[in-house]
Amino acid sequence: MKIKLADGSVKEVKDGMNALEIAKELSQKLGKSAVAAKINGTTTELTATVPDGATLEILTFDDEEGKKAVWHTASHVLAQAVRRLFPEAKLAIGPATDSGFYYDFDTEKPFTNEDLAKIEKEMKKIIAENLPLTRFTLPREQAIAKMEAAGEPYKVELIRDLPQDAVLSFYEQGDFTDLCAGPHAVSTGKVKVPKLLRTAGAYWRGDEKNKMLRRIYGIAFPSQKELDEHLQQIKEAEERDHNKLGRELHYFTTSPAVGQGLPLLMPKGAKTMQLLQRFVEDEEESRGYVLTKTPFMAKSDLYKISGHWDHYKDGMFVLGDEEKDDEVLALRPMTCPFQYTVYNAEHHSYKDLPIRYGETSTLFRNEASGEMHGLIRVRQFTLAEGHIICTPQQLEDEFMGVLDLIQYIMGVLGIENDVTYRFSKWDPSDKDKYVGDAQEWERVQDAMRTILDHTGLTYYEADGEAAFYGPKLDIQFKNVFGKEDTLFTVQIDFALAERFGMTYVDSDGQKKTPYIIHRSSIGCYERTLAMLIEKYAGALPMWMMSEEVRVMNITEGAMEYCRAFADRLKKAGIRVTVDDRPEKIGYKIREARGERIPYMLVAGDKEVADGTFAVRRRGQGEIGNMAQDALLELITSQDREKVIF
RNA sequence: GCUGAUGUGGCUCAGGGGUAGAGCACAUCCUUGGUAAGGAUGAGGUCGUGGGUUCAAUUCCCACCAUCAGCUCCA
């Protein structure tokens, strides 16, 4: 029979050969060890038979899917090791992820670090045994009986919840069998070098009403060297953790007496945030936004109209008691109903629209205690919040305008390549969470999808991530731990305008309900600051640094000289300080470097004599001596908003 | 909220049933120094908070608070 290889070439092989046998014939061509196969575009194990005329791709650990097959196998090895050492442990699920694998177990006692070391040792034993993985299927009742006999209630539940006609496949490696859809590496030996990273709790089937299981996270690589490199990368990424670095650099602090999720910005952090705010507010103004300034709190009545009271009361800071008090106030968790009230204070013609309201808005959300994280999830935060009230005809243009604003801002921050776009849709099976009916949702989601397709963006769709009043385009970023959060959001709201009785008079004299676009143009400032600290490892673009230039004298004789030039810089609008302490220059440089100051200017007797400064640029080291005028020109002339170094 | 870990001077950490230590930072003095740490001296902690056990608790136990990771949630 003939098969087609991934490179397009056609190969003649014996009938009924499996991918592994073909891979062996091709072994010198591959270079790397084969771990899985892709037959006609479907990833499968190497033991799968290749049909006549099929396209075959041999996957190695360097292929995303090959890697997943190995990691998935590693999770089975983990489960097998746990079963050997802790026979009472019940198995739940154990998939590969983008960054490794995990397996969830139900055990009486938590796994200790010593346990992990033991399990890892046992895994290495199983890998050395190089047990082949064999796949087989069972009819439903037999599959259930098998898992019941094995004492695996979670597996039984999984099978029972699968559709009646589902293929129930099992993978067996030595004395261990697991219900699993595959695909897998051909044998446990392919896992090579495993490493268990940590334990964590995880709800069975991701539902907090269910029992919490014990999850073990791990990773595996073809060699110790690659594993070490990976672990080093993780360590380096965690060095950038804003929660650590942001505190070390004195951007923010927290205090138990102030409370959880309530970071205090210190002078450096506050200055950077002010610079970001000025930039965003000016940019919005130039794009036709008008300002509002609305209260931090309102009566519960307002949130009842918007629906936030019903949907999110538990997440709000409520002042007073509904049972006892005539008036109950609540701190605002968002600005929407306030800006709608502003809109309703005037009558509007279609000629007024679109109206673009913007507000640098302080918001309060009573996040659950386990959710708070540095500057990323907090109880009080600042959002560049805006609502665009427009006619249906204007919706697409306005949406595009918002996207253009967001992309411009991302460009200036230098993060446009660090984000992904998520089209967040409703979940038709969760009616409680969403207002409106299915027809409306489908209509608005279709409209949004059409707009998104017109933008040419690469985006992915996510069910159940919409706001209760409409679908969203969320711009997502990952922090140093790989956890994803929303940075920017654009939402189409088809529900709240009507609830608030917002109208405009159209050209035909009829009152109509406008569309509303909710959007944030820079995300929450605290979260954005966190992401910037992590992205730049504290070396933020110069224009948003609280201190752009530090002038340092070597000798007392150069002190006045340094101060005088710093004054010149200050007059030119540069944020500059002078370090004229009687310290050694190496010491001053060390401190300034630690603070990621973009320009360090050094003067001793020599510089005083020839009117120059020894210039050191962040990330570049010494760049030589420069005369004062040329230096002033260099520092002030560049486009400080765009230069990142 | 749930699971697990952690909490010792401003920071990073050591220690351990008999009321505490290092380095950095800070203060004073000496040092006039050439691009990542000059030297000396000193000050600073009721060992997260509150209970309990004990002759004695920072150390052991319990509760709470906070921090970290993961889960769940995220208008």
Side-chain angles (χ1 to χ4, degrees):
Chain A
M1 68 178 195
K2 283 198 173 78
I3 58 154
K4 210 189 287 174
L5 298 176
D7 61 10
S9 64
V10 175
K11 190 173 166 61
E12 180 73 41
V13 296
K14 272 187 284 175
D15 281 5
M17 271 181 91
N18 70 27
L20 180 60
E21 290 156 351
I22 298 172
K24 274 181 184 156
E25 283 194 15
L26 298 171
S27 58
Q28 54 279 62
K29 251 174 96 177
L30 281 167
K32 273 232 165 186
S33 173
V35 294
K38 204 168 181 179
I39 298 172
N40 290 332
T42 305
T43 305
T44 181
E45 38 283 322
L46 286 167
T47 47
T49 307
V50 184
D52 188 20
T55 304
L56 172 70
E57 192 180 342
I58 304 294
L59 299 178
T60 69
F61 190 80
D62 290 339
D63 302 301
E64 208 51 44
E65 286 153 297
K67 187 181 281 181
K68 288 262 179 91
V70 170
W71 284 345
H72 197 163
T73 305
S75 83
H76 281 215
V77 173
L78 166 59
Q80 186 174 15
V82 168
R83 281 299 240 148
R84 283 186 185 176
L85 297 171
F86 305 89
E88 76 291 348
K90 305 280 178 242
L91 305 182
I93 52 161
T97 68
D98 289 340
S99 55
F101 62 89
Y102 65 81
Y103 212 112
D104 288 345
F105 303 95
D106 183 6
T107 61
E108 196 69 22
K109 273 190 251 156
F111 295 110
T112 63
N113 282 337
E114 293 76 54
D115 291 337
L116 280 197
K118 267 187 238 158
I119 296 166
E120 197 177 294
K121 210 170 152 195
E122 191 64 31
M123 285 177 74
K124 285 179 176 158
K125 237 191 260 176
I126 295 165
I127 291 163
E129 288 166 24
N130 197 18
L131 304 167
L133 275 88
T134 49
R135 178 180 185 275
F136 62 92
T137 59
L138 286 177
R140 194 181 176 84
E141 287 315 312
Q142 282 183 42
I144 290 171
K146 182 173 176 68
M147 288 293 106
E148 273 174 349
E152 297 291 4
Y154 294 98
K155 299 289 179 189
V156 173
E157 186 181 330
L158 284 175
I159 297 171
R160 287 196 199 280
D161 285 355
L162 283 169
Q164 284 291 335
D165 56 353
V167 175
L168 301 172
S169 61
F170 290 83
Y171 283 80
E172 191 172 57
Q173 57 197 60
D175 56 2
F176 177 80
T177 307
D178 198 359
L179 172 76
C180 178
H184 276 285
V186 66
S187 67
T188 59
K190 296 287 183 192
V191 176
K192 306 279 184 187
V193 188
K195 171 84 190 163
L196 297 182
L197 298 170
R198 59 176 177 270
T199 59
Y203 297 110
W204 166 237
R205 307 194 110 179
D207 187 335
E208 64 179 328
K209 290 187 209 76
N210 288 340
K211 185 167 185 185
M212 182 154 273
L213 307 172
R214 304 188 193 281
R215 176 172 294 181
I216 298 178
Y217 282 97
I219 185 85
F221 280 92
S223 69
Q224 186 67 42
K225 184 166 163 278
E226 283 161 281
L227 172 65
D228 290 344
E229 280 168 9
H230 177 80
L231 295 177
Q232 184 61 26
Q233 269 174 26
I234 293 178
K235 216 177 127 213
E236 279 167 20
E238 288 176 4
E239 288 296 309
R240 303 157 79 101
D241 177 7
H242 84 278
N243 206 7
K244 184 169 176 284
L245 197 53
R247 290 169 197 269
E248 278 169 19
L249 292 174
H250 296 184
Y251 274 80
F252 75 100
T253 186
T254 50
S255 153
V258 175
Q260 213 184 2
L262 297 168
L264 299 97
L265 288 184
M266 296 168 76
K268 281 167 74 177
K271 185 69 206 180
T272 295
M273 193 173 290
Q274 184 193 43
L275 291 163
L276 288 169
Q277 274 177 25
R278 285 177 178 170
F279 159 62
V280 170
E281 286 176 356
D282 289 349
E283 187 59 35
E284 288 185 351
E285 184 168 11
S286 77
R287 290 174 184 246
Y289 282 80
V290 290
L291 276 182
T292 63
K293 186 114 180 113
T294 58
F296 283 14
M297 67 186 90
K299 292 197 294 177
S300 58
D301 307 39
L302 184 72
Y303 308 111
K304 282 174 184 164
I305 300 171
S306 66
H308 288 91
W309 192 259
D310 287 341
H311 284 271
Y312 294 106
K313 189 171 66 178
D314 290 346
M316 289 166 65
F317 289 102
V318 178
L319 314 170
D321 185 331
E322 278 199 286
E323 308 271 295
K324 286 185 267 174
D325 302 320
D326 294 339
E327 183 179 78
V328 174
L329 292 166
L331 298 179
R332 64 174 176 197
M334 72 292 115
T335 320
C336 323
F338 297 87
Q339 289 193 329
Y340 300 166
T341 305
V342 169
Y343 178 87
N344 278 344
E346 298 169 295
H347 278 286
H348 296 280
S349 154
Y350 71 99
K351 293 179 207 161
D352 302 337
L353 303 186
I355 294 175
R356 308 186 186 104
Y357 292 119
E359 178 164 344
T360 301
S361 196
T362 305
L363 303 179
F364 307 85
R365 294 181 188 177
N366 194 2
E367 302 282 359
S369 64
E371 305 305 340
M372 261 75 79
H373 173 61
L375 295 177
I376 288 180
R377 277 287 281 278
V378 290
R379 281 188 161 137
Q380 179 190 317
F381 58 97
T382 317
L383 194 66
E385 189 160 15
H387 294 88
I388 297 172
I389 323 294
C390 64
T391 66
Q393 296 75 32
Q394 293 166 333
L395 186 66
E396 177 156 347
D397 277 353
E398 289 304 313
F399 194 97
M400 295 288 193
V402 167
L403 197 60
D404 188 69
L405 168 62
I406 287 174
Q407 289 182 326
Y408 171 72
I409 286 173
M410 288 199 292
V412 173
L413 301 184
I415 58 170
E416 66 272 40
N417 297 321
D418 302 308
V419 297
T420 52
Y421 294 84
R422 183 179 77 186
F423 176 23
S424 300
K425 302 182 296 178
W426 78 318
D427 177 0
S429 65
D430 190 354
K431 292 273 190 314
D432 288 349
K433 198 180 153 186
Y434 302 98
V435 300
D437 59 36
Q439 216 181 342
E440 271 182 300
W441 274 97
E442 292 306 326
R443 183 174 56 78
V444 176
Q445 286 186 175
D446 285 347
M448 189 155 172
R449 186 181 290 105
T450 305
I451 295 172
L452 290 176
D453 289 339
H454 288 173
T455 64
L457 281 178
T458 306
Y459 64 90
Y460 65 99
E461 305 196 10
D463 290 325
E465 295 287 351
F468 71 83
Y469 46 71
K472 304 189 284 178
L473 174 67
D474 290 320
I475 301 179
Q476 305 287 107
F477 85 104
K478 278 186 185 167
N479 75 1
V480 292
F481 298 103
K483 190 168 172 141
E484 195 175 276
D485 272 296
T486 300
L487 202 53
F488 308 78
T489 182
V490 190
Q491 311 170 359
I492 297 179
D493 176 356
F494 62 89
L496 298 191
E498 204 171 330
R499 283 175 171 242
F500 275 85
M502 295 163 72
T503 57
Y504 64 97
V505 179
D506 208 350
S507 54
D508 58 7
Q510 298 293 307
K511 272 193 177 179
K512 301 208 173 140
T513 302
Y515 266 99
I516 303 171
I517 298 174
H518 302 233
R519 41 107 278 187
S520 63
S521 53
I522 193 172
C524 138
Y525 283 98
E526 289 80 359
R527 188 176 281 186
T528 302
L529 180 58
M531 194 222 46
L532 290 168
I533 290 171
E534 296 192 355
K535 163 150 179 95
Y536 294 111
L540 302 184
M542 180 163 157
W543 70 272
M544 57 174 101
M545 292 289 294
S546 62
E547 185 179 346
E548 296 171 288
V549 178
R550 184 172 294 176
V551 187
M552 295 169 252
N553 65 319
I554 297 172
T555 56
E556 206 177 322
M559 197 193 274
E560 277 313 315
Y561 176 81
C562 286
R563 288 178 183 165
F565 187 60
D567 280 344
R568 277 189 76 186
L569 288 170
K570 200 174 283 176
K571 285 205 180 78
I574 303 291
R575 292 181 294 278
V576 55
T577 62
V578 180
D579 183 355
D580 54 13
R581 294 173 301 168
E583 292 289 350
K584 286 224 180 352
I585 192 64
Y587 185 84
K588 293 184 186 183
I589 294 280
R590 181 171 188 274
E591 266 192 10
R593 285 184 59 136
E595 292 178 53
R596 277 76 159 169
I597 308 293
Y599 277 97
M600 290 159 258
L601 310 182
V602 177
D605 296 340
K606 209 170 75 194
E607 284 75 17
V608 174
D610 63 10
T612 66
F613 278 91
V615 182
R616 177 182 261 280
R617 261 167 76 145
R618 185 175 72 188
Q620 295 179 354
E622 290 178 78
I623 60 168
N625 276 50
M626 289 182 73
Q628 287 196 21
D629 289 348
L631 190 51
L632 188 74
E633 172 74 15
L634 171 70
I635 293 172
T636 56
S637 70
Q638 58 187 257
D639 179 354
R640 282 150 65 210
E641 292 196 357
K642 293 284 175 61
V643 172
I644 291 160
F645 58 83

